[in-house]
Every structure is written in structure tokens, then in C-alpha cells.
């Protein structure tokens, strides 16, 4: 694994500040937020200076019951090539179900069962075969646990690496989140996993409310997370460490201070004697050029469709409870599921407001928008991306003759017409179009 150093998550809101940060070694960009043929000027300037850029995917859902979408894999590979990236990263999570068709809009934990592990391993191998560079997978933060789990986090990650040769992206903030929310010991996870497979490390902030840790990426990195980074550093010298910040961006000096604190931990001293080093990653069972391979030397057996069906049924029942209001499946902590459901709805409202900033303005301000959207979301689970969700929200309002103010309704109608495009209309779209004359 090539040395990356200390980096930061590149976001448009802090692009200028990132370019000015002293001693920055590399950046990570959300893969779905960039277009290979139209890279932001800031990223192009960083690349010209020799700053490495790594695409970080959020929508593959490799832990889902379905096989990876070839189009999404191709898109991720295109971004890796366009950015000249040494690897791409994704998450050990599921994000959608196809029966029923539901989108979480968030990374949800997979059950640590044999069935789920079999499905994940096959999906990872499919992804590795399709991608032009090595793949690394991140452990995610979770608010709840699945009932009936058969493996610990360390066992699950270890077997994943052994069976696929995939690299690991360890998020120490997520280790802390899972300590608070699921009672998992971060040190036990670090002791159990194959650190020679470590690609790099994430560090981020969060906040605790009512005994639940929320991995917000919108708060300063707390000392307890830096302590976990030091725990990891005592075991291995990571090839790279990256600061993530996705919202409530602080002043440039504060970002620089957080990077300095991270750098101080990383450079505190050599890894403990006798433990793994990233320099040994090339000696693992993975292919040093592609990152593919099973780690076992034998061709894995295909996952039976009955296994995928069992995983699909469990994930569909859970996601339906989270976003469609169906009963919580047996064995889950109902209070935690309610907390997660509220968090998903709130995130959905926030992201739609970002991708369609005109909607809060048209609807009379952030509070009026939020109330209207959360009311809509109760009966309309997301079935596609956030941009489609914004259009569906506007259609729903127009069908119900909302907003009540005629001028606002005219503005919303115009906004919707400008963005609906020439796609053959569904029934709900045809209904919305009949309102144009009434709203004009």
C-alpha cells in the first residue's frame, strides 16, 4: 500500500481552505459527487501539485442482498481513473432493498451472520473484478445491533479479508460510536483484525445525545477518538490518516489545528515492536497490482440464491420499519430503531434541502420546509436518489394544492417543470401537470 500521509476529506464548501492547508498530503472525495469529465478546478489544481485524490463511494451497498450494480461499479472505476487514484474505497453496509424498492439514504449495518458474510464476500469479489484499482472497505458506525449475530466485529472483518483479499479502511470514530451504541470494545476489534490489510484510517467527530452517539462528521474530533487513533498507531503505522468533515464547517485555522493534532498522534513514535506494518501489506495473499484474490488459493463456491433470499428478507423487514413505518422486526431494540428512523428522516430532509436549496425558500423558510418534508416522508419512502426525492416531494405538494399561497404554488410549479424534463411521465407526474393551469 503506497504511503498517503495525513489528509482531509475534500468538500466544495471548504475547497479553498483545503488548497491553503499547509503540509496536506492527500484528499478524499465522495465519488458520487464528482463527474469524471468535469472535475472541480480545485481538485485539478491539487492534482497538478501532486496531491493524491482517492474516491470514496457511498452508494454501492456491497452488504446488500443483491449483486452490485454494474453501472455503479463502472462509474466508481471511471472516477478512480480520472483522478489517478491508487485505490477506491466503499463501506461494509447495505443502503437499499429491491423488494420492496426502498432507499435508506444512509449506510446501514449488515448482520454479522454466515449468510450475510457469504453474500458480502461474493459481492466484494464481483466489485474487485470490475474495478481498475484495489478496493478497501470501511467499518461503519451503527445505532443498533442485529439480533442473532454469529460473529464478532473482529471475526467478521478478519474472515472478509481472508476470503477476498480486500483491504480495510478503519474509521476509529466509528469504533467509538459502536462502543457507545453497541457495547463493542474497540481494542478487541483492533486486536482481532489483520492490520497488514489496513489501507488507511478515518478520523471524525460526533456528539452524544441521550446515551446514543451520533457520528455527525459535523463536530470537532473529540479526545476519545484521538485516543483510539493512538491505540491503532501503537499496533501499526498506517499508510494514511484522513480527517472527515461534512457539515458545520469550521474556520480554516480550526481545520488546520485538527490536522496538526492527528499528525502529532501519527508521528508520536514507531509501531509497537513485533506488530504489523503497512509495509508488509504486499506480502499478504492479495494480488499486489489489483487487490483481487480470495486469500485461500481456491475458487469460492457461488452463493446460493436461497442465502441471498434470506438476507434480502431480513434487510427488507428492517428497512421497511425504518422508512415506511411497518412493525419493527422481532429481536431489535425498538427504541434504537425509532431513533434511527428519526435520524434517517432528518438526514433525508437536510440532504434534499442541499440538492434543492430553492425549496425552503419557496415554502417560506427552513422551518416550514422541514415540517412539510417530514410530513411527506412519513408516507413516501425514498425509492431513488435525493434529486428524485426532491422532485417527488414537489409533486406531492402540488397534487395536494400546496403550498396554500398561490404565488408560492406558482413558483413551485415552475421549479418542478424546469427539472422534471422530458422523461415519459408516471401517473403521479401526469396528475401534477394537470395542476399547472390551476396554479397559473
Amino acid at each position: 500500500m503506497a504511503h498517503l500521509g495525513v489528509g482531509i476529506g475534500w468538500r466544495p464548501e471548504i475547497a479553498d481552505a483545503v488548497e491553503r492547508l499547509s503540509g496536506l498530503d492527500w484528499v478524499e472525495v465522495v465519488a458520487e459527487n464528482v463527474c469524471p469529465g468535469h472535475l472541480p478546478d480545485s481538485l485539478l489544481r491539487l492534482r497538478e501539485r501532486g496531491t493524491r485524490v482517492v474516491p470514496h463511494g457511498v452508494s454501492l451497498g456491497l452488504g446488500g442482498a443483491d449483486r452490485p450494480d454494474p453501472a455503479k461499479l463502472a462509474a466508481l472505476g471511471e472516477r478512480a481513473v480520472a483522478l489517478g487514484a491508487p485505490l477506491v474505497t466503499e463501506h461494509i453496509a447495505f443502503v437499499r432493498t429491491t423488494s420492496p424498492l426502498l432507499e435508506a439514504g444512509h449506510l446501514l449495518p449488515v448482520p454479522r451472520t454466515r449468510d450475510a458474510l457469504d453474500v458480502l464476500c461474493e459481492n466484494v469479489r464481483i466489485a474487485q473484478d470490475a474495478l481498475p484499482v484495489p478496493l478497501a472497505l470501511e467499518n461503519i458506525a451503527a445505532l443498533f445491533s442485529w439480533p442473532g449475530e454469529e460473529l464478532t466485529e473482529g471475526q467478521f472483518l478478519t474472515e472478509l479479508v481472508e476470503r477476498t483479499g480486500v483491504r480495510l479502511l478503519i474509521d476509529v470514530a466509528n469504533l467509538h460510536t459502536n462502543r457507545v451504541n453497541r457495547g463493542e470494545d474497540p481494542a478487541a476489534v483492533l486486536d482481532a483484525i489483520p492490520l497488514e490489510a489496513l489501507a488507511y484510517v478515518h478520523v471524525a467527530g460526533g456528539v452524544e445525545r441521550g446515551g446514543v452517539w451520533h457520528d455527525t462528521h459535523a463536530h470537532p474530533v473529540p479526545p476519545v477518538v484521538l485516543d483510539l487513533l493512538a491505540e491503532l498507531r501503537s499496533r501499526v503505522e498506517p499508510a494514511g490518516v484522513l480527517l472527515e468533515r461534512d457539515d458545520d464547517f469550521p474556520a480554516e485555522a480550526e481545520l488546520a489545528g485538527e490536522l496538526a493534532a492527528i499528525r502529532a498522534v501519527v508521528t508520536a513514535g514507531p509501531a509497537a515492536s513485533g506488530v504489523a506494518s503497512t509495509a508488509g501489506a504486499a506480502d499478504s495473499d492479495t494480488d499486489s497490482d489489483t487487490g483481487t484474490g480470495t486469500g485461500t488459493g481456491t475458487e469460492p463456491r457461488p452463493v446460493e440464491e436461497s442465502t441471498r433470499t434470506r438476507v434480502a428478507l431480513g434487510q427488507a423487514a428492517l428497512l421497511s420499519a425504518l422508512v415506511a413505518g411497518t412493525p419493527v422486526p422481532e429481536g431489535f431494540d425498538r427504541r434504537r430503531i425509532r431513533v434511527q428512523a428519526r435520524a434517517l428522516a432528518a438526514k433525508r430532509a437536510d440532504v434534499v434541502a442541499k440538492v434543492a436549496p430553492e425549496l425552503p425558500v419557496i415554502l417560506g423558510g427552513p422551518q416550514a420546509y422541514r415540517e412539510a418534508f417530514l410530513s411527506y416522508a412519513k408516507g413516501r419512502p425514498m425509492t431513488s436518489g435525493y434529486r428524485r426525492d426532491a422532485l417527488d416531494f414537489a409533486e406531492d405538494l402540488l397534487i395536494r394544492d400546496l403550498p396554500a399561497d398561490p404565488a408560492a404554488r406558482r413558483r413551485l410549479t415552475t421549479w418542478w417543470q424546469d427539472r422534471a424534463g422530458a422523461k415519459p411521465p408516471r401517473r403521479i407526474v401526469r396528475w401534477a401537470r394537470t395542476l399547472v393551469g390551476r396554479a397559473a
Side-chain angles (χ1 to χ4, degrees):
M1 189 64 233
H3 183 77
L4 293 171
V6 175
I8 193 169
W10 184 93
R11 304 294 183 265
E13 297 89 341
I14 55 172
D16 292 342
V18 168
E19 289 189 62
R20 290 191 295 266
L21 287 170
S22 175
L24 186 69
D25 298 312
W26 66 294
V27 299
E28 180 190 78
V29 60
V30 176
E32 290 80 357
N33 290 350
V34 295
C35 178
H38 303 279
L39 294 175
D41 290 342
S42 173
L43 284 179
L44 292 175
R45 287 191 293 268
L46 286 169
R47 286 197 62 207
E48 289 169 0
R49 282 163 35 181
T51 304
R52 278 182 162 152
V53 183
V54 173
H56 185 53
V58 297
S59 66
L60 270 183
L62 291 174
D66 295 316
R67 291 173 178 81
D69 182 345
K72 290 183 181 296
L73 286 172
L76 184 57
E78 287 171 2
R79 283 150 179 80
V81 171
L83 293 167
L87 79 164
V88 296
T89 59
E90 248 287 354
H91 299 82
I92 302 169
F94 82 101
V95 298
R96 67 183 60 85
T97 60
T98 54
S99 182
L101 181 60
L102 296 171
E103 286 277 347
H106 190 69
L107 302 165
L108 295 176
V110 300
R112 290 176 298 208
T113 62
R114 289 289 171 191
D115 279 353
L117 181 59
D118 287 346
V119 169
L120 174 62
C121 287
E122 185 168 86
N123 288 350
V124 167
R125 287 191 289 266
I126 292 170
Q128 289 171 319
D129 288 343
L131 292 169
V133 295
L135 171 68
L137 294 181
E138 178 181 351
N139 60 307
I140 71 162
L143 283 174
F144 60 88
S145 297
W146 282 77
E149 292 192 314
E150 300 163 342
L151 301 165
T152 66
E153 178 79 347
Q155 291 169 335
F156 194 86
L157 294 178
T158 297
E159 192 161 336
L160 171 65
V161 171
E162 290 174 346
R163 292 171 58 177
T164 66
V166 75
R167 290 167 169 82
L168 295 176
L169 192 181
I170 295 300
D171 189 316
V172 291
N174 291 350
L175 291 179
H176 173 64
T177 301
N178 294 339
R179 169 167 55 191
V180 176
N181 294 348
R182 305 204 288 187
E184 297 172 358
D185 181 3
V189 176
L190 292 175
D191 285 340
I193 61 177
L195 289 173
E196 66 274 12
L198 182 66
Y200 61 87
V201 179
H202 271 176
V203 179
V207 63
E208 186 172 351
R209 300 191 190 98
V212 174
W213 187 269
H214 297 270
D215 180 46
T216 63
H217 292 194
H219 292 79
V221 176
V224 68
V225 171
L226 289 177
D227 289 345
L228 284 179
L229 177 61
E231 279 271 354
L232 183 147
R233 178 64 181 84
S234 73
R235 293 163 170 79
V236 67
E237 182 179 358
V241 181
L242 183 119
L243 170 65
E244 287 189 296
R245 189 72 179 239
D246 294 331
D247 208 348
D248 289 342
F249 298 100
E252 184 176 330
E254 186 173 337
L255 288 175
E258 290 204 298
L259 285 172
I262 290 169
R263 189 174 287 108
V265 173
V266 174
T267 59
S273 177
V275 301
S277 168
T278 52
D283 296 327
S284 69
D285 288 331
T286 62
D287 185 298
S288 61
D289 293 321
T290 66
T292 59
T294 65
T296 62
T298 59
E299 187 68 22
R301 290 179 297 177
V303 174
E304 295 181 1
E305 288 306 311
S306 59
T307 301
R308 287 190 179 271
T309 298
R310 288 194 296 272
V311 173
L313 290 172
Q315 292 180 349
L318 173 62
L319 188 51
S320 295
L322 289 170
V323 303
T326 58
V328 177
E330 190 68 30
F332 283 96
D333 184 324
R334 284 173 167 75
R335 185 182 73 85
R336 289 297 177 95
I337 296 301
R338 287 195 295 269
V339 171
Q340 182 72 83
R342 290 194 296 270
L344 291 180
K347 178 181 179 180
R348 187 176 163 193
D350 291 343
V351 177
V352 167
K354 288 181 180 179
V355 302
E358 304 87 354
L359 291 178
V361 177
I362 293 172
L363 297 178
Q367 186 59 34
Y369 157 78
R370 193 173 186 84
E371 290 176 0
F373 188 89
L374 292 178
S375 175
Y376 153 81
K378 288 180 181 178
R380 291 289 300 277
M382 186 163 60
T383 58
S384 188
Y386 285 109
R387 297 187 187 281
R388 182 69 252 176
D389 203 23
L391 283 173
D392 290 344
F393 171 51
E395 291 169 4
D396 183 75
L397 290 174
L398 291 173
I399 288 170
R400 294 188 289 121
D401 280 337
L402 294 173
D405 175 45
R409 195 160 62 249
R410 284 194 294 271
R411 292 177 64 192
L412 183 62
T413 300
T414 300
W415 181 90
W416 176 83
Q417 284 181 308
D418 288 346
R419 289 158 180 80
K423 184 178 179 180
R426 298 171 297 150
R427 183 172 63 175
I428 192 170
V429 177
R430 294 197 300 271
W431 288 347
R433 287 177 177 170
T434 64
L435 299 175
V436 172
R438 292 160 55 187

